[in-house]
Amino acid sequence: MIGLFVGFGLLIGILFGFFGMGGSFLVTPMLLVIGYPAPVAVGSGLAFVFGTSVIGALRHRDHGQVSYTLAAVMILGMTFGIEVGTRIVFLLADLGGADFVISAVYVGLLGVVGLVVFRDARTDGTEVGTGRVATEVQSIALPPLVSLPGGATVSVWVILVVGSSIGILCGCLGVGGGFLLLPVMVYGFGIPTAIAAGTSIFQISITGAFGTFVYAQSNAVNIPVVAALLVGSALGARIGASATRLVNESDIKGYFAGMLLAGSVATASKQVSAVYGIETLETASVVLIFVTAVLVSAAVVHTSVNSFRKDREDGSPRTH
């Protein structure tokens, strides 16, 4: 089992460094599927987020892909939200409905965000729709305002509200919020995808530390599991972060959507198997999570290698 967690950590590390997500959107459902209690799955997911995000943030910093101003404001909002979300989880656990509620929210969020990003990737950017959302967000000119990479100017109050909302979900679901932060920054604030990924990782390192501390106080963090996952992810995060400089932006969105949709289907299968006692579905949910992580990680590495070779043949490095 430890070897399995190390291997899974390597795969998640690659995806984490590539997408700017801590990987807990896969780790937490995986632990739920295996049979860990909801608070432990959530707490361990946040602890894993903290460890991987520190590694990935350093790598993205080296590439100049972090907006520290945006990260600082978002962290303030998310820290407050995580505290609220954590209290909600333990309240649901006391009422006996934590597993079902958390899984149901996972299915809905991963599915909706995954479909939106997939549609955007298939249409090569949907600049009209993306631009409309960013324009509406930027039209809320309530001072003070913050200038962001890509030329956008957004109200600090808007960022705080968004950060608090995502923080509540992070505290409830045991995620760093990367699968929500990335779309918000790209579609809502108009930030380039690579910078959004780096900024997401940086702020997740801070909020993940806070969330881990809160859950650890209630002994809801499985240290051996987290340690095994971190061993594998240490190398994977550096590989994934480097890959963002080599892969086309629409490809990044496509891989991202695939991971979200797979997580949604796997979590849904687990819940259906629990309700109706269909063991085949429970097995299928575990297999789906692992197979998807393997396939997408392999695709990321393969595409990066091909892009690197092409750049060397052309004699000019690509920048995204």
Side-chain angles (χ1 to χ4, degrees):
M1 184 63 73
I2 294 299
L4 186 64
F5 282 132
V6 171
F8 193 57
L10 174 64
L11 299 176
I12 292 180
I14 294 175
L15 301 173
F16 157 71
F18 189 68
F19 296 125
M21 300 177 297
S24 55
F25 81 106
L26 288 175
V27 171
T28 303
M30 178 192 70
L31 294 178
L32 287 172
V33 165
I34 293 176
Y36 285 91
V40 174
V42 172
S44 299
L46 281 172
F48 176 72
V49 163
F50 169 62
T52 52
S53 59
V54 171
I55 300 168
L58 293 174
R59 190 65 173 177
H60 278 281
R61 182 200 61 183
D62 294 339
H63 296 321
Q65 297 173 338
V66 178
S67 172
Y68 295 102
T69 301
L70 174 60
V73 179
M74 288 289 284
I75 286 169
L76 290 176
M78 289 185 65
T79 301
F80 169 76
I82 287 175
E83 177 66 28
V84 175
T86 302
R87 294 178 182 275
I88 293 175
V89 168
F90 284 107
L91 175 61
L92 290 173
D94 291 338
L95 297 175
D99 289 1
F100 175 79
V101 173
I102 291 174
S103 296
V105 174
Y106 253 115
V107 172
L109 276 178
L110 294 176
V112 170
V113 176
L115 289 173
V116 170
V117 177
F118 179 73
R119 184 187 64 179
D120 187 47
R122 288 290 300 273
T123 54
D124 196 22
T126 59
E127 286 143 0
V128 175
T130 301
R132 183 171 62 247
V133 174
T135 299
E136 291 178 357
V137 170
Q138 294 172 39
S139 68
I140 306 175
L142 185 63
L145 303 177
V146 177
S147 296
L148 304 176
T153 302
V154 181
S155 170
V156 168
W157 299 108
V158 171
I159 299 174
L160 286 174
V161 170
V162 171
S164 297
S165 301
I166 294 177
I168 292 174
L169 292 173
C170 292
C172 287
L173 304 180
V175 297
F179 77 96
L180 295 173
L181 287 169
L182 191 67
V184 165
M185 291 181 184
V186 173
Y187 303 124
F189 299 157
I191 296 177
T193 305
I195 296 179
T199 303
S200 171
I201 291 175
F202 175 76
Q203 65 192 65
I204 285 172
S205 66
I206 307 299
T207 56
F210 177 74
T212 300
F213 173 74
V214 172
Y215 275 90
Q217 288 182 313
S218 300
N219 295 319
V221 176
N222 189 310
I223 301 299
V225 169
V226 174
L229 289 168
L230 288 175
V231 168
S233 69
L235 173 61
R238 298 185 69 83
I239 296 174
S242 298
T244 58
R245 306 181 68 199
L246 301 170
V247 180
N248 184 276
E249 184 161 320
S250 62
D251 290 337
I252 295 178
K253 292 177 181 177
Y255 294 141
F256 179 61
M259 291 302 305
L260 296 181
L261 293 174
S264 176
V265 173
T267 306
S269 298
K270 165 65 176 178
Q271 281 304 302
V272 172
S273 70
V275 173
Y276 296 101
I278 306 176
E279 295 184 2
T280 303
L281 282 179
E282 182 171 356
T283 303
S285 65
V286 177
V287 172
L288 179 59
I289 288 180
F290 278 91
V291 170
T292 302
V294 170
L295 292 179
V296 176
S297 297
V300 168
V301 173
H302 177 71
T303 304
S304 301
V305 171
N306 286 343
S307 298
F308 180 72
R309 288 176 177 173
K310 183 178 179 180
D311 292 341
R312 293 191 64 181
E313 293 174 357
D314 294 341
S316 58
R318 295 174 66 180
T319 57
H320 295 286

